[in-house]
């Protein structure tokens, strides 16, 4: 059998066949789904190395999907990338109903979160939580609109836990911030593509001053290689990444993990700070915790 119908979605085919594939072939599938544009140009040995499998496994994977071999499979990837992907979302088409649109977009985000869970290193997350919980000061850097928003959101949540936290999205202010850091201070640098020169410069200066840098980015980026703790994940290279929704959801999910971990690590200090905020802000109409619902008493 060959898979030659150009109107069919290759990536949906791979996802649907995942449970049937051997473990090694599932790793190949994940590698290709995460970066199909790279896969269609990569040599068999490069795909095997990134998937941590043998070269023959790549061929067996292609044949398991009904292709004659890697060349046939890569041709279909090229057709899918060029013709089969929507300009706004990798699974949505112009003919989809509102119900299909909701399902595809939200399922895509759910799939992204599962991918992030599989890719995150628990050991590195544990190190990052411990580092943040004991930090003297935490400065959050974001490069670009989405990363800048995430950096600001991170600062607000750390601040509410009682940490001395700041957020900087301006390149000059990031550099000023880095120059004033020292041992015991932490930088959280957020950049999906991890190649902004100004951000890399600020990170380098922060480390020179003795600060610890935690990066949230893709694997093997300049930022990942320039920090102390790299919390990395890959996303499919669809236009949706550039719109920012999947990338934003992935970054926020990682930060949720860190914030919750830091809150529990700080124990009574973190919870006590939130309680103080609640007591002070509640009379002004600002709630830190959702108000408790009081049950109506029923007369006997």
């Amino acid at each position: 059998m060959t898979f030659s119908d150009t109107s069919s979605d290759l990536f949906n085919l791979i996802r649907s066949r995942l449970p049937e594939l051997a473990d090694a072939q599932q790793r190949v599938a994940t590698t290709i789904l995460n970066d199909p544009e790279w896969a269609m140009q990569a040599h068999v040995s490069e795909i095997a190395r990134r998937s941590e499998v043998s070269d023959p496994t790549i061929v067996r994977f292609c044949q398991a999907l009904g292709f004659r071999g890697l060349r046939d499979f890569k041709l279909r990837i090229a057709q899918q990338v060029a013709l089969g992907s929507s300009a706004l979302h990798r699974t949505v088409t112009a003919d989809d109903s509102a119900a299909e649109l909701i399902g595809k977009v939200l399922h895509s985000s759910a799939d992204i979160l599962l991918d992030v869970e599989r890719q995150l290193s628990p050991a590195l997350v544990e190190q990052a939580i411990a580092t943040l919980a004991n930090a003297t000061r935490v400065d959050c850097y974001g490069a670009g609109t989405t990363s800048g928003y995430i950096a600001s959101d991170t600062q607000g949540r750390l601040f509410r836990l009682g940490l001395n936290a700041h957020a900087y999205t301006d390149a000059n202010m990031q550099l000023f911030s880095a120059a004033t850091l020292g041992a015991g201070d932490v930088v959280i640098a957020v950049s999906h593509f991890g190649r902004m020169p100004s951000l890399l410069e600020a990170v380098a200066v922060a480390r020179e001053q003795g600060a610890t840098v935690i990066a949230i980015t893709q694997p093997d980026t300049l930022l990942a290689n320039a920090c102390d703790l790299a919390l990395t994940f890959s996303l499919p290279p669809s236009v949706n990444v550039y719109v920012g929704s999947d990338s934003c959801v992935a970054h926020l999910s990682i930060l949720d993990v860190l914030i919750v971990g830091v809150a529990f690590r700080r124990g009574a200090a973190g919870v006590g700070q939130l309680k103080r905020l609640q007591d002070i802000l509640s009379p002004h109409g600002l709630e830190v915790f959702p108000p408790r619902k009081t049950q109506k008493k029923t007369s006997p």
Side-chain angles (χ1 to χ4, degrees):
M1 179 188 73
T2 60
F3 188 83
S4 59
D5 182 1
T6 57
S7 66
S8 301
D9 190 324
L10 172 64
F11 305 140
N12 281 342
L13 169 71
I14 296 174
R15 292 186 186 97
S16 68
R17 296 288 298 278
L18 268 176
E20 307 168 17
L21 300 175
D23 289 345
Q25 293 179 9
Q26 288 185 14
R27 292 200 294 273
V28 177
T30 300
T31 296
I32 290 167
L33 288 172
N34 283 340
D35 203 342
E37 294 181 6
W38 170 84
M40 73 182 181
Q41 301 177 30
H43 297 295
V44 62
S45 59
E46 293 174 320
I47 300 175
R49 184 163 55 250
R50 182 175 288 194
S51 306
E52 299 181 345
V53 301
S54 64
D55 290 6
T57 299
I58 307 299
V59 178
R60 288 195 290 269
F61 165 77
C62 296
Q63 293 173 342
L65 293 179
F67 296 90
R68 288 187 291 272
L70 181 60
R71 182 175 180 178
D72 186 31
F73 178 69
K74 287 168 68 173
L75 176 62
R76 183 65 188 88
I77 293 179
Q79 293 172 336
Q80 182 75 47
V81 170
L83 302 174
S85 298
S86 167
L88 291 176
H89 196 279
R90 62 182 176 278
T91 60
V92 176
T93 69
D95 297 327
D96 286 337
S97 65
E100 290 170 325
L101 173 64
I102 292 169
K104 287 184 177 182
V105 171
L106 296 186
H107 288 163
S108 173
S109 294
D111 288 343
I112 289 299
L113 293 181
L114 291 174
D115 276 345
V116 170
E117 180 186 10
R118 285 191 288 267
Q119 294 177 64
L120 273 183
S121 165
L124 289 177
V125 169
E126 178 64 29
Q127 282 184 259
I129 289 172
T131 301
L132 288 167
N134 296 305
T136 305
R137 167 179 153 194
V138 182
D139 284 3
C140 307
Y141 301 164
T145 303
T146 301
S147 296
Y149 157 73
I150 293 169
S152 296
D153 183 63
T154 303
Q155 181 272 334
R157 291 197 271 174
L158 289 172
F159 183 77
R160 288 195 292 273
L161 290 177
L163 286 166
N164 180 16
H166 312 267
Y168 301 100
T169 58
D170 176 80
N172 288 335
M173 290 304 299
Q174 288 173 358
L175 200 54
F176 280 123
S177 156
T180 62
L181 295 171
D185 296 331
V186 178
V187 167
I188 298 179
V190 182
S191 174
H192 187 64
F193 297 108
R195 59 181 180 232
M196 183 70 73
S198 59
L199 179 64
L200 295 171
E201 184 180 17
V203 162
V205 170
R207 294 187 72 193
E208 288 172 2
Q209 303 308 306
T212 300
V213 176
I214 300 170
I216 301 178
T217 184
Q218 293 187 102
D220 300 321
T221 61
L222 292 173
L223 178 59
N225 296 328
C227 70
D228 298 289
L229 295 172
L231 305 182
T232 62
F233 62 95
S234 298
L235 291 179
S238 63
V239 180
N240 190 39
V241 172
Y242 306 119
V243 171
S245 56
D246 279 353
S247 177
C248 188
V249 166
H251 282 82
L252 287 173
S253 69
I254 293 173
L255 288 164
D256 276 342
V257 170
L258 294 180
I259 298 299
V260 172
V262 169
F264 279 109
R265 181 64 66 93
R266 286 174 62 80
V271 175
Q273 173 69 11
L274 291 176
K275 181 66 171 62
R276 284 191 294 273
L277 284 177
Q278 177 75 10
D279 293 340
I280 295 170
L281 297 177
S282 183
H284 299 276
L286 298 174
E287 299 287 346
V288 176
F289 302 113
R292 294 179 179 177
K293 293 181 179 179
T294 55
Q295 293 183 344
K296 293 182 179 179
K297 293 183 179 181
T298 56
S299 49

